[in-house]
Amino acid sequence: MRCPSFSWKESMMMRKPPAPRLAPGPERDRVAAELKAKYEAGATIRALAKETDRSYAGVHRLLADAGAHFRARGGVMRRGALTASPDSGKGTQTVREH
């Protein structure tokens, strides 16, 4: 969202510069290992991308190169989530019991 008191050019100049591109080598391996540790501790790829000023794809690539095991998309299902009942007709849903 743009601040109304600044021109577009001024607001672009106030942004942080993007993270430097990492060439293959020990520095890239170190950054990838740090991201992997944070991801496996529960951080999301989007949060890591924002924290490191990298793109989602860039963080995903670093995690893949580091051998991270990716979580399924969508997060944790809540208890009592609605699911389609296998014996019911189309369009009806029942509450799943745990």
Side-chain angles (χ1 to χ4, degrees), residues 25-78:
E27 177 64 15
R28 188 177 200 280
D29 295 342
R30 183 190 62 76
V31 171
E34 287 176 7
L35 290 173
K36 179 183 176 188
K38 289 180 180 182
Y39 179 75
E40 290 180 346
T44 64
I45 296 176
R46 291 199 190 286
L48 294 171
K50 186 174 183 179
E51 177 184 322
T52 59
D53 293 322
R54 297 184 188 285
S55 68
Y56 180 98
V59 170
H60 189 278
R61 190 176 316 107
L62 287 167
L63 289 171
D65 291 348
H69 296 282
F70 294 103
R71 297 185 291 265
R73 294 177 61 174
V76 178
M77 292 291 291
R78 293 182 307 223

